[in-house]
Amino acid sequence: MERTNNIQREQRRIKELAREYEEKGFQVFIEPEKDLLPEFLKDYRPDLILKKGEMNVVVEVKTSETIKNSEYLKELSARINSLENWKFELVITNPRVKDNLRNNRYQEYSLIELENRLNKVSNSIDKNFLEPHFLYAWSLFEASSRAILKADQPKSERKLNPTANIKQLYSYGIIGRIDYEWLNKISHIRNHIVHGHPIQKSEIKEKDLNKLIRMTEDFLKEIKTFANNVYKT
């Protein structure tokens, strides 16, 4: 079970890093096939390769547990960093945080219901009136985040406070710092809309709404994968 959890955490972090670097203008290759690799990487399949101009970055993602069995990374890092326009980056996912946990009494959507509702909001966005679509997408994000916390941390408390919920996602390594900071930022916008206050310094942008929908979709896919792996074991 621990091995399955480590794989899930690494895969989530890889996807998050891919989103982050794409937004920074990098060309991203997730677990590229051998025919896309330079000769010096033929015996190794990196988690990510990033390209921007002449710069190439090889990224390996590990948990605090899997890094213990990764002595080969020292040699690989030295080899890559010795080459011109190449850089090696090792990313360690956040350690899990212990907490006093309890179950809440609220009924949750099923995964099928979440997927159906997410498809509806994805297919009905009005670019000239984003606020209601954003609020609905946010509600589905909250529901999916509670669901992935339940799958990844079965004993964890399903928090209803959005700020606490986002903090749990970050504490358990389900999201990284960039997404954590972004979610906190748009949660403030959500609060202004919900409570009827003007949004003074920012407004909902279509790219933010699309990112929120993609993140929710990723959560739902991860929950399905997690469930399948648990069933197989």
Side-chain angles (χ1 to χ4, degrees), residues 13 17-18 38 62-63 69 72 75-76 98 100 102 106 110-112 144 146 158 184 208 222:
R13 189 69 177 112
L17 287 169
K62 295 291 182 183
T63 69
N69 300 316
Y72 68 94
E75 180 183 346
L76 181 68
K98 294 183 179 180
N100 293 323
R102 64 183 184 275
Y106 293 89
S110 68
L111 291 185
I112 293 177
S144 68
R146 291 193 299 271
R158 256 61 71 197
N184 276 317
D208 290 322
E222 292 295 338

Side-chain angles (χ1 to χ4, degrees), residues 60-143:
E60 180 73 13
V61 177
K62 295 291 182 183
T63 69
S64 55
E65 290 298 319
T66 59
I67 190 64
K68 298 175 182 178
N69 300 316
S70 303
E71 289 296 322
Y72 68 94
L73 291 179
K74 293 180 181 179
E75 180 183 346
L76 181 68
S77 172
R79 187 194 318 167
I80 293 173
N81 288 330
S82 68
L83 299 172
E84 185 178 2
N85 297 326
W86 282 87
K87 178 183 176 182
F88 179 82
E89 286 192 4
L90 175 64
V91 177
I92 306 296
T93 61
N94 295 316
R96 298 185 178 188
V97 178
K98 294 183 179 180
D99 196 1
N100 293 323
L101 307 169
R102 64 183 184 275
N103 292 325
N104 65 53
R105 56 187 172 81
Y106 293 89
Q107 184 176 356
E108 299 283 7
Y109 286 126
S110 68
L111 291 185
I112 293 177
E113 288 174 318
L114 282 173
E115 287 179 331
N116 289 340
R117 290 171 183 272
L118 193 63
N119 286 333
K120 286 181 181 179
V121 72
S122 299
N123 296 326
S124 62
I125 294 175
D126 183 348
K127 297 181 180 180
N128 297 314
F129 194 32
L130 293 175
E131 285 84 354
H133 302 282
F134 168 74
L135 290 179
Y136 192 64
W138 181 270
S139 73
L140 298 177
F141 161 76
E142 284 195 30

Side-chain angles (χ1 to χ4, degrees), residues 209-223:
L209 176 54
N210 289 334
K211 180 174 179 177
L212 188 64
I213 290 172
R214 289 199 310 271
M215 189 178 292
T216 304
E217 289 173 340
D218 285 346
F219 282 0
L220 297 179
K221 291 176 183 177
E222 292 295 338
I223 295 166

Side-chain angles (χ1 to χ4, degrees), residues 11-12 16 25 60 98 139 148 150 176 184 195 203 223:
Q11 290 300 314
R12 281 195 296 267
E16 186 205 33
E60 180 73 13
K98 294 183 179 180
S139 73
I148 199 168
K150 183 178 180 180
N184 276 317
H195 299 296
E203 61 182 12
I223 295 166

Side-chain angles (χ1 to χ4, degrees), residues 161-188:
N161 181 290
T163 302
N165 199 26
I166 293 168
K167 188 174 182 179
Q168 270 196 326
L169 292 171
Y170 178 60
S171 296
Y172 289 120
I174 294 173
I175 61 173
R177 174 162 291 278
I178 290 179
D179 278 351
Y180 171 72
E181 292 175 350
W182 175 78
L183 286 168
N184 276 317
K185 176 184 175 182
I186 65 168
S187 72
H188 291 305

